[in-house]
Amino acid sequence: MFKSKKSLEVTSQIGADEFFKGIIASTGIVRVSGQVVGKIVGKEGRIPELVIIEPNAHFRGQLIARDVMIKGTFEGKCIGHHVTIAGDVSGFVFYDGSFTVNSSRARVNFSLTTRSLSSFDVNGEEIGALNTVGLSDVVTLKPAKAA
């Protein structure tokens, strides 16, 4: 996914003992270890490369990023090219690349929709038509086997 060490540097971080309410605008890597109520959006015409919601983190709101890893608790609207879930997710998930549930502990209660990232602006606002996956497709998702 990433080619250089520099691309792995976190550009925005909410620490484990921190609470943030508002909008985080980034084009890099955003790591949430604490609590966030708000939005993670792009800036300068680009969306964030990666958003990571860590295992003990809680995020409520909306986020858009090229790659999304949810290991903690997420409530809201998630938009990404590659979305990986290993935590608790409720709300709406939009993706146009890959979608993975990779933990037997993951709890999911959401609407899953395939949709091109170009259907959203850098703020995560919708600008096109939906292609929604049916509820039966969502229910049949199985966690990946542990290696």
Side-chain angles (χ1 to χ4, degrees), residues 5 7 26 30 32 41 52 56 70 83 85 94-95 102 105 107 110-111 117-118 125 131 138 147:
K5 184 176 180 180
S7 68
S26 177
V30 179
V32 176
V41 299
I52 304 166
N56 293 319
I70 301 173
V83 178
I85 295 176
F94 297 89
Y95 75 99
N102 70 358
R105 294 174 293 182
R107 293 188 309 218
F110 56 83
S111 171
L117 281 179
S118 63
E125 300 302 321
N131 176 17
V138 173

Side-chain angles (χ1 to χ4, degrees), residues 88-137:
D88 300 332
V89 175
S90 61
F92 299 90
V93 176
F94 297 89
Y95 75 99
D96 73 345
S98 64
F99 174 81
T100 307
V101 176
N102 70 358
S103 172
S104 60
R105 294 174 293 182
R107 293 188 309 218
V108 294
N109 179 21
F110 56 83
S111 171
L112 182 64
T113 303
T114 58
R115 185 147 181 214
S116 171
L117 281 179
S118 63
S119 299
F120 298 92
D121 65 19
V122 296
N123 296 314
E125 300 302 321
E126 301 174 32
I127 55 177
L130 291 175
N131 176 17
T132 303
V133 175
L135 180 59
S136 62
D137 295 328

Side-chain angles (χ1 to χ4, degrees), residues 23-88:
I23 298 173
I24 299 169
S26 177
T27 58
I29 297 173
V30 179
R31 181 183 307 273
V32 176
S33 299
Q35 295 184 26
V36 172
V37 175
K39 293 173 94 175
I40 298 175
V41 299
K43 66 179 185 179
E44 301 167 359
R46 294 179 36 223
I47 62 173
E49 272 301 310
L50 172 64
V51 172
I52 304 166
I53 310 297
E54 293 291 358
N56 293 319
H58 186 99
F59 184 97
R60 186 174 45 162
Q62 176 177 303
L63 68 83
I64 184 169
R66 176 166 170 66
D67 298 304
V68 180
M69 295 175 62
I70 301 173
K71 303 174 189 177
T73 301
F74 178 89
E75 301 173 65
K77 181 178 175 182
C78 170
I79 304 161
H81 181 64
H82 301 289
V83 178
T84 302
I85 295 176
D88 300 332

